[in-house]
């Protein structure tokens, strides 16, 4: 189903749901979803609300692994496979090949997803010296709350499609936590571009991921517009 998707919602003082009227200029291929409010940012790494996660985690972004729908079973997503060391402290992920990132009206990726993007997405939350760690506030509460900030010892690139995450101690729910929204994968190439353009804050406001929908525009308390990602690697349209 290759459609535009619009999420629109207004929060009243009583936090009640207010219905959305179809925009007059949208056609029959437009899907409209009414949300209870506006996301605080468009990056599930940095947000706590269900509203923000609904608006980003499964529309714009993907993770290395995911939950099989309706279950707690972990299935491949951006990673096609992974191996765990006998002592449970090392995870080696093999990425799927030829997964493309979305684009914006001012940035077009020159390469596909690789290990650098995964490492950046983790180290932004983990490393206080990462150039994006403090951008739009130091709020990575899920990353910290799940113990990742204390237990991840290192994230290393093996090659473009393989990376290793080393833990300080075994965590047998680590792989399930990797499927949660805060572990969404961002583009390092896009992040590097925004640094050069002196607009780092846009990484959380003009998002770019590998998910089934492109971000188009956002008017707080009114509407978020997306369009279908025709290059999406999965089958979630």
């Amino acid at each position: 189903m290759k459609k535009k998707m619009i999420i629109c919602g207004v929060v009243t003082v009583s936090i009640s749901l207010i219905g959305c009227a179809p925009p007059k200029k949208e056609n029959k291929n437009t899907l409209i979803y009414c949300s209870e409010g506006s996301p605080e940012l468009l990056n599930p790494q940095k947000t706590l609300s269900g509203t923000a996660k609904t608006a980003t985690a499964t529309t714009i972004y993907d993770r290395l692994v995911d939950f099989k729908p309706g279950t707690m079973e972990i299935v491949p997503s951006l990673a096609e496979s992974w191996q765990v060391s006998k002592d449970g402290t090392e995870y080696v992920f093999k990425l799927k090949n030829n997964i493309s990132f979305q684009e914006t009206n001012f940035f077009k990726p020159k390469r596909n997803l690789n290990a650098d993007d995964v490492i950046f997405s983790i180290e932004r939350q983990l490393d206080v010296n990462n150039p994006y760690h403090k951008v739009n506030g130091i709020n990575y509460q899920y990353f910290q709350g799940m113990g990742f900030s204390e237990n991840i010892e290192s994230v290393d690139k093996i090659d473009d499609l393989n990376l290793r995450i080393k833990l300080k101690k075994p965590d047998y729910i680590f792989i399930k936590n990797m499927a949660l929204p805060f572990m969404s994968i961002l583009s390092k190439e896009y992040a590097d571009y925004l640094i050069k353009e002196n607009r780092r804050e846009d990484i959380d406001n003009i998002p770019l991921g590998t998910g089934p929908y492109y971000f188009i525009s956002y008017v707080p308390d009114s509407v978020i517009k997306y369009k279908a990602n025709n290059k999406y690697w999965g089958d979630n349209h």
Side-chain angles (χ1 to χ4, degrees):
M1 182 176 66
K2 295 180 179 180
K3 298 181 177 181
K4 288 183 179 179
M5 186 170 80
I6 296 179
I7 295 182
C8 54
V10 178
V11 179
T12 67
V13 175
S14 60
I15 318 297
S16 63
L17 180 66
I18 295 181
C20 302
K24 294 181 180 179
K25 294 184 180 180
E26 300 298 340
N27 59 37
K28 64 181 180 180
N29 291 323
T30 298
L31 173 66
I32 300 173
Y33 169 79
C34 293
S35 176
E36 74 278 13
S38 292
E40 55 272 40
L41 283 174
L42 297 176
N43 181 351
Q45 293 179 328
K46 301 179 70 66
T47 54
L48 293 174
S49 71
T51 300
K53 288 172 175 54
T54 297
T56 58
T58 56
T59 50
I60 300 167
Y61 297 109
D62 296 301
R63 288 142 296 285
L64 292 182
V65 297
D66 211 341
F67 293 109
K68 183 177 180 180
T71 76
M72 292 296 290
E73 178 185 349
I74 294 296
V75 294
S77 185
L78 296 179
E80 68 176 33
S81 63
W82 56 94
Q83 296 179 339
V84 186
S85 63
K86 290 183 178 180
D87 66 359
T89 62
E90 290 189 6
Y91 290 73
V92 175
F93 292 91
K94 180 178 178 58
L95 302 179
K96 291 176 179 173
N97 201 5
N98 296 322
I99 292 181
S100 60
F101 277 98
Q102 303 151 5
E103 57 189 68
T104 72
N105 59 6
F106 58 85
F107 173 81
K108 185 173 183 178
K110 296 180 180 179
R111 64 165 176 81
N112 290 329
L113 169 81
N114 69 29
D116 293 330
D117 304 303
V118 180
I119 292 170
F120 165 73
S121 300
I122 295 174
E123 289 191 341
R124 181 193 182 181
Q125 302 178 81
L126 177 68
D127 182 4
V128 296
N129 295 314
N130 184 278
Y132 275 90
H133 185 75
K134 297 179 182 179
V135 172
N136 292 316
I138 311 175
N139 50 320
Y140 305 100
Q141 295 186 52
Y142 272 98
F143 190 87
Q144 296 164 355
M146 296 300 177
F148 280 27
S149 58
E150 296 180 354
N151 199 28
I152 293 179
E153 182 173 313
S154 60
V155 188
D156 303 305
K157 180 177 180 178
I158 299 172
D159 57 40
D160 278 352
L161 294 178
N162 293 273
L163 66 137
R164 179 186 297 106
I165 300 177
K166 186 173 182 180
L167 306 180
K168 296 176 183 177
K169 61 182 180 181
D171 178 359
Y172 295 102
I173 62 169
F174 175 76
I175 195 66
K176 292 187 182 295
N177 287 335
M178 291 289 288
L180 296 177
F182 75 94
M183 289 307 295
S184 294
I185 304 304
L186 284 62
S187 166
K188 185 179 187 300
E189 184 187 11
Y190 182 47
D192 291 343
Y193 171 84
L194 292 176
I195 287 177
K196 292 179 182 178
E197 296 296 313
N198 194 29
R199 51 190 299 181
R200 297 185 198 194
E201 291 79 8
D202 283 344
I203 199 166
D204 301 321
N205 297 309
I206 306 177
L208 182 157
T210 60
Y213 292 95
Y214 280 69
F215 169 78
I216 299 300
S217 62
Y218 174 33
V219 179
D221 297 328
S222 180
V223 63
I224 306 174
K225 289 188 176 182
Y226 307 82
K227 70 175 180 179
N229 179 3
N230 293 324
K231 295 181 180 180
Y232 184 54
W233 60 273
D235 57 0
N236 289 20
H237 286 314

